[in-house]
Amino acid sequence: MKLSAGLITLALTAVAAAQSVSEWGQCGGINYTGSTTCASGLTCTEINTYYYQCLASVTTVTTSTSSTTSTAPPATTSSPSAPITGFVSTSGQKFTLNGATYTVVGGNAYWVGLMGLTTSEMNVAFKDIAATGATTANGLRLIVTLTNNWSDYGGMDVYVNQLVGQGQPHDYFYTNSACISAFQNYAKTFVTRYLNEPTILGWELANEPRCTGSTGTTSGSCTVATVTNWVKTMSAYIKSVDSNHLVGLGDEGWFNDPSSSDYPYQGGEGIDFVANLAIDTIDFGTFHLYPGSWGETSNSTSWGQEWIINHYTAQANANKPVIMEEFGVTSDQYNTYSAWYSTVQSSGLSGVLIWQAGSNLSSGQTPNDGYAIYPGTQVYTLETQYAASMKARG
Ligand SMILES: *[C@@H]1O[C@H](CO)[C@@H](O)[C@H](O)[C@H]1NC(C)=O
Ligand SMILES: *[C@@H]1O[C@H](CO)[C@@H](O)[C@H](O)[C@H]1NC(C)=O
Ligand SMILES: *[C@@H]1O[C@H](CO)[C@@H](O)[C@H](O)[C@H]1NC(C)=O
Ligand SMILES: *[C@@H]1O[C@H](CO)[C@@H](O)[C@H](O)[C@H]1NC(C)=O
């Protein structure tokens, strides 16, 4: 009933804008109302009709996918001089980078690594994503998810089926010692490969972990404590291998109040957002928002606003950053997202990533699961506007 994998979450860099726009900031584009003056030494450069940004050197971003020749160089986003340096860190409820606040705004794009895209198509896709968030593609950073609760692209059940036995309960992934050590071996190999890679914002233990998986099987003894213990073990393990990068969980943000009459607040799926956020080796919190999949179909816009505010409260209590790392509805997107973005911004929630970014490639549109947003649409422009205002908020 819900989405498949948030395998790759893209987060865009952000540097707070002043009256004159600083490097990477937006300085123009359709319906843009902010400052068009770049700080000294920077040039306001058209990325596309929706997005102009202040760059230190002239950047050529080719969006045309001319079919006239196959020998033309691929569409590329050539980078201005500054390389990406530094690891994203946290300070209280903020993400930080090289001493400044780093605002996490952007989108999810599970399809980027999975569609067999050509390099030039990937360049177009990354450029589209970057253009919504005030940076060029060299300003993108990734949150990388290490496994999936759902069976898409492998996931937890592969470990259980192969190491414990075919059809054995999903939640043995969290408790079986063979599963734990296999996942640690995998995580160690993967994480070690990218130890010094600054474009990785952080690692996420799993996409939407729950007691039940695609097989629907459970041992009957999985509780919020089962998953929280696993989060402690795995996050501490990854921190012991990689002290450069942040670690988050990747959960949907369920609260654990068994007396609540409201499903996402009952802890029934084995997630206690507050307990997991309190773990020392978890640097930031994540939550998702899909009222349509959670039975919150009447009044879903205001239900979502309350969900955002409650996670902001948990953020403030834990004094750690929290991001709404996926959200989506399949109808009335513009009005719903306007309300939710506005609540994210006014509440003080640390960051927000839409599900999901889409691109119009020469080979066709990237996959649309009903939630994808494409350049040139009203919702895409809304995302671009909130990326700018979230950065300005800091
Ligand atoms: C995890 O996967 C199982 C099986 O696909 C599914 O029943 C369960 O709802 C999933 N949980 C989440 C959070 O997606
Ligand atoms: C909609 O939800 C909000 C917040 O939960 C609540 O205050 C309001 O009364 C609800 N409205 C209706 C018509 O149910
Ligand atoms: C991309 O595709 C969408 C959906 O078909 C369309 O509405 C939009 O105008 C296209 N954008 C551009 C920039 O061509
Ligand atoms: C620009 O603003 C106008 C007026 O608010 C609106 O009708 C139009 O859809 C906007 N254009 C885009 C691309 O968002």
Side-chain angles (χ1 to χ4, degrees):
M1 69 173 197
K2 234 206 44 57
L3 290 177
S4 54
L7 285 184
I8 300 178
T9 297
L10 301 169
L12 307 180
T13 54
V15 178
Q19 269 85 353
S20 69
V21 180
S22 54
E23 189 174 11
W24 315 114
Q26 183 173 7
C27 52
I30 291 173
N31 284 1
Y32 172 74
T33 56
S35 168
T36 56
T37 308
C38 291
S40 151
L42 304 176
T43 307
C44 189
T45 307
E46 178 176 352
I47 304 299
N48 58 44
T49 51
Y50 298 92
Y51 201 77
Y52 289 58
Q53 72 180 171
C54 296
L55 298 177
S57 59
V58 175
T59 302
T60 305
V61 178
T62 307
T63 56
S64 81
T65 46
S66 161
S67 57
T68 56
T69 169
S70 57
T71 58
T76 56
T77 302
S78 67
S79 315
S81 43
I84 284 206
T85 55
F87 295 104
V88 175
S89 185
T90 65
S91 173
Q93 297 175 53
K94 304 289 187 190
F95 292 94
T96 59
L97 176 62
N98 299 327
T101 295
Y102 175 92
T103 303
V104 174
V105 286
N108 292 271
Y110 80 88
W111 44 266
V112 161
L114 299 163
M115 269 180 65
L117 298 182
T118 65
T119 302
S120 76
E121 286 173 333
M122 276 206 196
N123 284 337
V124 172
F126 276 109
K127 187 200 62 59
D128 283 346
I129 294 166
T132 67
T135 78
T136 53
N138 80 332
L140 285 173
R141 279 180 161 80
L142 306 182
I143 296 174
V144 179
T145 303
L146 295 171
T147 191
N148 194 7
N149 171 78
W150 299 83
S151 58
D152 310 75
Y153 318 113
M156 296 177 180
D157 293 328
V158 172
Y159 290 83
V160 173
N161 289 337
Q162 294 190 1
L163 297 171
V164 190
Q166 190 66 34
Q168 291 295 307
H170 177 80
D171 56 294
Y172 283 2
F173 178 79
Y174 305 112
T175 55
N176 178 273
S177 59
C179 290
I180 289 174
S181 66
F183 187 56
Q184 286 180 338
N185 285 342
Y186 162 76
K188 181 179 185 179
T189 303
F190 196 103
V191 163
T192 303
R193 189 180 299 159
Y194 298 105
L195 214 52
N196 296 311
E197 178 54 65
T199 58
I200 290 175
L201 182 150
W203 305 110
E204 240 173 49
L205 300 185
N207 175 53
E208 303 187 337
R210 291 188 189 181
C211 280
T212 57
S214 298
T215 59
T217 55
T218 56
S219 65
S221 58
C222 184
T223 66
V224 292
T226 308
V227 178
T228 296
N229 285 337
W230 178 81
V231 175
K232 283 181 187 159
T233 302
M234 283 308 306
S235 60
Y237 179 77
I238 291 172
K239 283 288 187 189
S240 77
V241 176
D242 177 0
S243 58
N244 288 336
H245 293 106
L246 300 177
V247 175
L249 175 51
D251 60 310
E252 295 153 289
W254 308 123
F255 289 106
N256 180 31
D257 174 9
S259 69
S260 172
S261 58
D262 202 5
Y263 158 67
Y265 288 87
Q266 291 167 344
E269 297 290 356
I271 292 292
D272 181 336
F273 179 77
V274 172
N276 294 332
L277 186 59
I279 295 170
D280 285 350
T281 41
I282 287 292
D283 296 304
F284 65 97
T286 58
F287 71 97
H288 299 179
L289 174 50
Y290 293 106
S293 300
W294 298 347
E296 307 292 346
T297 47
S298 69
N299 205 359
S300 59
T301 300
S302 52
W303 187 88
Q305 290 176 297
E306 199 173 299
W307 184 245
I308 293 165
I309 289 166
N310 287 336
H311 284 86
Y312 167 72
T313 302
Q315 165 189 311
N317 288 341
N319 198 29
K320 288 182 185 179
V322 171
I323 58 176
M324 180 157 80
E325 71 159 7
E326 288 187 23
F327 64 92
V329 291
T330 52
S331 63
D332 198 22
Q333 287 181 328
Y334 184 83
N335 290 320
T336 307
Y337 297 171
S338 295
W340 289 351
Y341 271 128
S342 165
T343 303
V344 165
Q345 168 127 5
S346 63
S347 66
L349 194 80
S350 308
V352 58
L353 305 170
I354 197 170
W355 184 278
Q356 64 164 325
S359 276
N360 300 337
L361 302 175
S362 55
S363 55
Q365 284 192 329
T366 59
N368 189 350
D369 55 1
Y371 297 93
I373 62 170
Y374 295 94
T377 62
Q378 204 189 18
V379 174
Y380 209 85
T381 302
L382 180 74
E383 188 211 348
T384 304
Q385 287 163 348
Y386 270 98
S389 61
M390 283 287 289
K391 284 179 311 186
R393 186 203 71 179

